[in-house]
Amino acid sequence: MIHLAIHLAGEAEIVGPIHYWWMYPIERWLYFFKSLIGNRACPECSIAEGYIANECMTLCSRYLHRINTKFNRPEGNYDGGLATSNEDLSIFYLPGKNLGAKVSCELEANELEQAHIYILKNCDKVIPYLQEFAQNHIDTVQNSDQEFIEWFKDMVAQLHKTDNSRLIENLFSLSRGPTKYSTYSNCYILNGHKFHIEDLDQMLRTKNCGVVVVGENDKDSENVYYCGIFTDVIELQFISNRRVILFRCT
């Protein structure tokens, strides 16, 4: 084993790149041929018939656009995609899919407030309101989050009286904050990955409970990566049947 690295380099120099002489794809292909054998007395004929049938099905499936085939079916961890328009708040229509049973719960008042201000600060349509509030309330340092929530609620309520567009309706639901009735789940599919909570992940071999959030450092304005393990998938309910998914991390 000590000279293995030297021998591998010598083989690569003699025969070239590994994908030209690697036997693993050939062995996988032979394994597929072996699965086509139905009559052990005539293995060659069984392989030929199975291969022709597989080629015919592959050719036909390329023209069956309205039927779910291996060429057009979604991936196993497909999250549904982002379905929104220019007048929608993307935070209400983010891709993702819950797996498993949902458990109803009630969040504390401070948890709802923290979740609400986090959602507001990470919504693109709310950023202009945040900038306007910062310009008009320069001297406000303490309890600025609570004051912004109340200011934003009053501002959107005034706009809602004269404008009934879909964007204002979504902002009105967002400004009112989440209800105290929420749901928990153990698994969530997002961006082609399946995430498990920490309690469920301990019983699995594949670990998918780690998350990374990119933040900004106030000192030098460089991105800072915050790593953690998420413990709950919380689905917050807003008025007009709108929802937002949050990951609770430790």
Side-chain angles (χ1 to χ4, degrees), residues 45-250:
C45 296
S46 298
I47 292 175
E49 290 180 355
Y51 182 81
I52 294 174
N54 182 68
E55 288 294 317
C56 292
M57 294 299 296
T58 301
L59 178 63
C60 295
S61 61
R62 293 182 181 274
Y63 297 93
L64 301 176
H65 303 292
R66 297 183 180 180
I67 299 178
N68 190 12
T69 64
K70 64 179 181 180
F71 296 104
N72 59 9
R73 64 186 178 188
E75 298 180 356
N77 291 332
Y78 180 65
D79 55 12
L82 181 62
T84 181
S85 63
N86 295 329
E87 296 184 355
D88 291 334
L89 289 181
S90 60
I91 199 166
F92 285 144
Y93 303 94
L94 291 176
K97 182 172 61 176
N98 275 308
L99 293 181
K102 297 181 181 180
V103 180
S104 301
C105 63
E106 293 187 14
L107 297 178
E108 300 292 338
N110 59 340
E111 294 177 336
L112 290 174
E113 184 178 347
Q114 292 175 1
H116 190 198
I117 192 63
Y118 178 82
I119 293 172
L120 292 176
K121 290 184 177 181
N122 288 273
C123 182
D124 296 336
K125 301 295 184 180
V126 185
I127 292 179
Y129 296 95
L130 284 168
Q131 296 175 351
E132 182 180 354
F133 177 80
Q135 294 176 358
N136 298 332
H137 300 77
I138 300 177
D139 298 333
T140 302
V141 178
Q142 297 180 352
N143 300 325
S144 59
D145 293 340
Q146 293 84 351
E147 292 183 4
F148 171 73
I149 291 176
E150 296 298 330
W151 177 85
F152 180 68
K153 185 186 299 184
D154 297 337
M155 179 68 69
V156 175
Q158 295 177 3
L159 295 175
H160 188 260
K161 294 179 180 179
T162 58
D163 190 355
N164 294 326
S165 63
R166 188 168 181 175
L167 177 59
I168 299 300
E169 290 288 342
N170 289 328
L171 287 176
F172 183 77
S173 300
L174 186 63
S175 65
R176 295 298 158 178
T179 63
K180 64 178 181 179
Y181 300 103
S182 305
T183 57
Y184 285 169
S185 59
N186 296 331
C187 187
Y188 196 79
I189 293 178
L190 180 64
N191 296 331
H193 300 281
K194 183 186 297 183
F195 294 93
H196 305 132
I197 64 173
E198 184 180 9
D199 295 338
L200 179 62
D201 207 50
Q202 293 178 356
M203 300 180 293
L204 303 176
R205 293 184 178 180
T206 304
K207 305 301 180 182
N208 290 328
C209 64
V211 292
V212 178
V213 178
V214 181
E216 293 184 356
N217 191 356
D218 296 336
K219 296 181 180 179
D220 49 8
S221 299
E222 294 182 357
N223 292 333
V224 180
Y225 295 91
Y226 297 93
C227 303
I229 298 176
F230 87 95
T231 58
D232 290 308
V233 181
I234 305 175
E235 180 177 332
L236 299 177
Q237 302 291 337
F238 288 78
I239 61 175
S240 301
N241 197 22
R242 292 172 173 84
R243 67 185 184 95
V244 175
I245 302 295
L246 292 181
F247 288 175
R248 175 184 286 173
C249 303
T250 57

